[in-house]
Amino acid sequence: MHEPLLTVRRATATDVPVLARYGVALARLHVGFDADRFAVPPGGEGAYAAFFQAELQRPEVVLLIAEAGTQPVGYAFVRMEPMSLVELRGAGAWLHDLYVDPGARSGGIGRRLLAAAKEAAIALGSGSLMLSASSQNAAARHLFEGAGLRPTMVEMRIELEG
């Protein structure tokens, strides 16, 4: 028996339910890392569906779907961001999300999505690709560092008593 062909393609409006499901799953994963820092938005999949539907209309956005055969197994969300004085950075592409279905992990899908995200960043006119990774997500950090990304900032937080 052979493995189904893995493809990565640009998402379309028909993919919004899958994007929404994976968006919530990614949010829940991060809440599991740190519930004080991360949140699942009110409205869950509905909020993500509306968000991704709007993002699909933006020329500075590339949403990618990974499929094993015809089965969705992951997604990536790349958006060209303007220069930010607050973040002390120039304009460039950001990989906001990269998610692989838990049942499909360790099969190279994350690497394929990351490679496609790099290509999308170039197509958007960016000379770089930035991302944030949870400090507790060792698997993601290993993937990103293995692909040549380097840490540039450390986010820190304290809970304040009111």
Side-chain angles (χ1 to χ4, degrees), residues 5 8 18 21 25 44 66 80-81 88 95 117 120 123 127 131 134 141 157:
L5 179 65
V8 176
V18 170
R21 185 178 72 223
M80 190 70 174
E81 300 293 351
L88 306 175
L95 176 57
L131 59 84
S134 171
R141 289 188 3 258
R157 179 183 173 108

Side-chain angles (χ1 to χ4, degrees), residues 82-139:
M83 179 181 181
S84 173
L85 296 177
V86 173
E87 295 177 9
L88 306 175
R89 62 166 178 75
W94 272 80
L95 176 57
H96 289 287
D97 297 350
L98 190 150
Y99 181 80
V100 176
D101 191 278
R105 292 183 185 158
S106 300
I109 297 165
R111 284 189 301 277
R112 289 282 300 277
L113 279 166
L114 183 54
K118 289 178 183 178
E119 292 172 12
I122 292 167
L124 289 169
S126 184
S128 65
L129 180 65
M130 299 271 300
L131 59 84
S132 296
S134 171
S135 62
Q136 297 182 40
N137 194 341

